[in-house]
Amino acid sequence: MEMLSMLKIGYTILRSETPATDLVNTFMDWAARRSLLLLAVFLPPYYVYKLTKSAFAVVAPEDVAGKVVLITGASSGIGEQIAYQYAKKGARLSLVARREASLHDVAAKAKDIGSPDILVVAGDVANPEDCKRFVQATVEHFGQLDHLVNNAGVASVCWFEEVPDVADFKQVLAVNFWGAVHPTHCALPHLKKSGGKIFVNSSAAAVLAMPRMSFYNASKAAVLNFFETLRIELLDEVGITIATPGWIESEMTKGKHLSKHGTVEVDQDMRDAQVGVLPVVRAERCAEAIVDAVCRGRRHLTVPLWYRALFLWRALAPEVGELSQRVFYRRTAGGHDSDRQAKAKRFLEATGTKGLLQPASLQSSDIKRE
């Protein structure tokens, strides 16, 4: 019957006066629906292949001792902890961020942990010239580049319709998206020469589209799709690992973000309203998982793992996910968040769940200034 149907469609295409492109797409629609049946045949051997490949990676992860790793956003949070994880493995480090004094503090600790050589380069990933400069400085100092860790990022938390000037949020794309693209473009010839690897920190927000974070979500979705495309273009010349983490211990989860005016603020009440009762993963644990994934050549990483269940709900039942987010992030009358922030704070303090769900470091609003 299936063969007969296919022949009928083919005959219709040949005899019809309908534009050929329409007919071809009609045929492709028909074929695509039936191709889903191939999954039943394809998936078992595919997962056998995946398990075999994973087993090999467990036995033989990459030894990064003596290799050169460039890390952006290395002055705090996840980037700082990634530096320490690579240092434990004996890698040589190039640390990049805007806050040079903080970078030197991280470098001193990383050297004590085990990194044999560390270069500190102050730079802004949103500035293309800075990107060229810190990649060039790294290669000139070490003579090579093996891993590029694109970690620098900035968050924004506000309702889109309350933003006075959307142009104030170009900086979110400049840091989160272009701040990963420019270093990658500069580093790529050196990574191809060494057969190196690229890590990029996207976000669970790229998939889940969290309210109040429209600009951030968009920037991280752009990162995700850009590096998925780049992986295809590069074949196996350079490995790419993309992370889509949930809430992780960082300055962002301390309450640091861009306000609706596009200015940096530290607002822990807003943080409590945004994060709510979702648990925050320690930065050290996240960094350990990231470095392990990169060394094992994994394509994707989600920390914590249970966010993948949310991704699946988003894909298969998007209305359910949207409904739950509307309830969780419900706006008060008039669009003001002060009442909701106060309620979130009172709930977390009254139930004692803040100490359970958030690392101790997040209880302070202090962030590094230099």
Side-chain angles (χ1 to χ4, degrees), residues 40 84 145 173 190 240 368:
Y84 299 152
L145 178 59
L173 272 294
H190 308 290
I240 296 180
K368 297 180 180 180

Side-chain angles (χ1 to χ4, degrees), residues 259-278:
S259 70
K260 65 182 180 181
H261 300 289
T263 56
V264 177
E265 67 177 10
V266 180
D267 186 342
Q268 293 208 311
D269 290 342
M270 177 63 84
R271 182 275 313 275
D272 289 341
Q274 189 68 19
V275 177
V277 295
L278 296 177

Side-chain angles (χ1 to χ4, degrees), residues 31 48 86 197 233 241 259 263 285 292 310 314 360:
V48 169
Y86 270 112
K197 294 176 179 176
E233 293 183 4
T241 299
S259 70
T263 56
R285 177 186 170 191
D292 181 71
L310 300 183
R314 176 71 177 175

Side-chain angles (χ1 to χ4, degrees), residues 285-330:
R285 177 186 170 191
C286 180
E288 184 177 1
I290 286 171
V291 175
D292 181 71
V294 175
C295 291
R296 296 184 190 282
R298 290 177 178 160
R299 293 162 58 91
H300 300 101
L301 169 71
T302 301
V303 181
L305 188 62
W306 59 264
Y307 269 80
R308 290 189 181 179
L310 300 183
F311 298 166
L312 191 61
W313 275 96
R314 176 71 177 175
L316 300 180
E319 295 85 358
V320 175
E322 289 173 10
L323 178 61
S324 63
Q325 287 188 321
R326 285 172 182 163
V327 172
F328 190 80
Y329 294 104
R330 185 177 65 252

Side-chain angles (χ1 to χ4, degrees), residues 154-156 168-177 215-216 219 258:
V154 60
S156 58
D168 291 334
F169 290 86
K170 289 181 179 180
Q171 58 186 308
V172 178
L173 272 294
V175 174
N176 294 352
F177 177 67
F215 298 102
Y216 179 81
S219 69
L258 299 181

Side-chain angles (χ1 to χ4, degrees), residues 72-125:
T72 68
S75 61
S76 67
I78 299 172
E80 176 182 355
Q81 293 298 326
I82 289 175
Y84 299 152
Q85 292 299 322
Y86 270 112
K88 289 179 182 178
K89 295 179 179 291
R92 294 179 288 168
L93 306 176
S94 177
L95 306 180
V96 177
R98 290 179 297 177
R99 297 173 293 193
E100 188 171 4
S102 295
L103 282 179
H104 283 290
D105 292 339
V106 174
K109 185 173 180 180
K111 192 163 188 178
D112 289 341
I113 291 174
S115 179
D117 191 4
I118 303 173
L119 175 68
V120 168
V121 187
D124 184 354
V125 296

